[in-house]
Amino acid sequence: MTAPKRSITSTSEAASPALPKRARGRPRKTAEERDDGNRRGALLAAAARLFRRQGFDATSTRDIAAAVGMHSGSPFYHFKSKKALLCAVMEEGMRSAIARQAHAVQDVPPGPQQALQQMRRLIRAHFDTLHGRGNDFVPVMLYEHRSLTSAQRASLTKLQDSYEAAWTPVLEVLHASGQLRAPVKLARLLILGALSWSVQWFDPKKGASLDELTEACMVLFLKEC
Amino acid sequence: MTAPKRSITSTSEAASPALPKRARGRPRKTAEERDDGNRRGALLAAAARLFRRQGFDATSTRDIAAAVGMHSGSPFYHFKSKKALLCAVMEEGMRSAIARQAHAVQDVPPGPQQALQQMRRLIRAHFDTLHGRGNDFVPVMLYEHRSLTSAQRASLTKLQDSYEAAWTPVLEVLHASGQLRAPVKLARLLILGALSWSVQWFDPKKGASLDELTEACMVLFLKEC
DNA sequence: CCTACCGATCGGTAGG
DNA sequence: CCTACCGATCGGTAGG
């Protein structure tokens, strides 16, 4: 018998442990990460890092298992397939990106500058999502989209739509006030593209800082600020 | 014996046929493409299409061989490895992109609007390179960079630098005239990113046309036009 | 989660 | 460019 079948709650179709069975196994390899029950989370983090560095196809499930001290077959106890693991990485990335975004735009004080400040916060939150420490999940999504099944892609599209939707009202206000002159829909696609492409060239150890990058975006895309 | 070793002239290290040996083989499969001697070109085009659609790792050399009516081992007569084939695809893409770009900016009439018009032409040429019929070579380069060896990457970087260098003087003029307010170097990275990212969402069969897209870029990035 | 394994695929090559 | 093939790797699974 493999992992028990259960109702699917996520497209990544992870098989979470059936019963805790705690304190019954053999001694842990290292004392760290004894907070068992988070082996799944460790797999996700290792997979995100390796997928980002090497790409999905160039990373074997054995690599990922080894990175968390497991043996070759064990990741399939937590995830039903390699693609399900990839999908879970992307879903986790989008969830945290959406949360970071929501946190960034809340409590922006009203006033004539509100939309500008919201725009600045959205841009900065996006850069944090792409370039923050350990934030490998969304970059993986950006260039490993093709490796999903179409069903997985559809599920992720909902999360992406929700993320992108937050930009629209801000861009509309800026458009109405003359700060943004391009059509809102195209502007959103182009701006998000400009930001996202930074995964290809941004190096936190040299060149501009994220603050400088954010300001460069503001003066590049908007008419007066 | 395999293909004869010879001095390497290109990073893709293609093994071109030693002697023509023409009119000695068996009858061609189809009457078309009898312009023999271009089997290498056919492999390049097929590889570009498949790499773009499915990705490098998800495309087998057998797929590529079959697409041009060859048998599984034959691509290795023309290219020493799968990666060399990928690199050749990218080099070909960059060569034609550079040629298209040079053609686009030549003969822009001098005058106060010259830089604006050059900018427009650069943008439009970039979109043509990404979205023109059969132009799969550069899109492959954009998201299959990681699959190259570091030596191949270095060789390609030269071509990319040459391509990007053409933007700098135009952006500098626009910056000096106040049309562009962001720092030139960051502006170039962000603008090229915005354009390049369109491979992820642009659909020639619906939505905006390339002309509309180009104009949207102009009003998004520049202050008055 | 480990052990032991299978079936399939794939890049690449020798020789003609 | 074809034929025939090899060695290696890989995703995944049965059973515990």
Side-chain angles (χ1 to χ4, degrees), chain B residues 6 19 21 31-32 40 47 68 99 102 105 113 116 125 128 146 150 159-160 162 187 189 191 197 200 205 222:
Chain B
R6 56 178 60 210
L19 290 171
K21 271 187 188 171
E32 68 185 43
R40 185 189 134 98
V68 300
V105 292
Q113 303 279 6
L116 276 180
D128 285 336
R146 248 174 343 195
S150 49
L159 288 170
Q160 286 180 271
S162 149
L189 289 164
I191 291 172
W197 192 257
Q200 304 268 7
K205 296 189 297 296
L222 303 176

Side-chain angles (χ1 to χ4, degrees), chain A residues 46-58:
Chain A
R49 229 191 70 196
L50 290 169
F51 287 160
R52 181 177 195 173
R53 279 201 194 172
Q54 312 172 358
F56 176 72
D57 286 290

Side-chain angles (χ1 to χ4, degrees), chain B residues 5-73:
Chain B
K5 307 290 183 222
R6 56 178 60 210
S7 61
I8 307 298
T9 61
S10 145
T11 314
S12 58
E13 299 178 23
S16 43
L19 290 171
K21 271 187 188 171
R22 82 169 89 173
R24 190 180 140 278
R26 80 213 68 177
R28 284 278 157 264
K29 318 267 158 87
T30 63
E32 68 185 43
E33 293 191 332
R34 181 183 20 252
D35 62 305
D36 206 73
N38 203 19
R39 304 305 290 153
R40 185 189 134 98
L43 278 172
L44 277 175
R49 231 192 69 199
L50 291 169
F51 288 160
R52 180 177 195 173
R53 279 200 195 173
Q54 313 172 356
F56 176 73
D57 286 290
T59 301
S60 70
T61 54
R62 284 163 170 80
D63 292 340
I64 299 165
V68 300
M70 284 181 187
H71 287 256
S72 71

Side-chain angles (χ1 to χ4, degrees), chain B residues 8 24 27 31 52 95 103 105 119 121 137 173 188 201:
Chain B
I8 307 298
R24 190 180 140 278
R52 180 177 195 173
R95 263 191 286 275
H103 181 261
V105 292
M119 179 73 175
R121 299 264 192 101
F137 294 71
V173 171
R188 178 169 55 75
W201 55 266

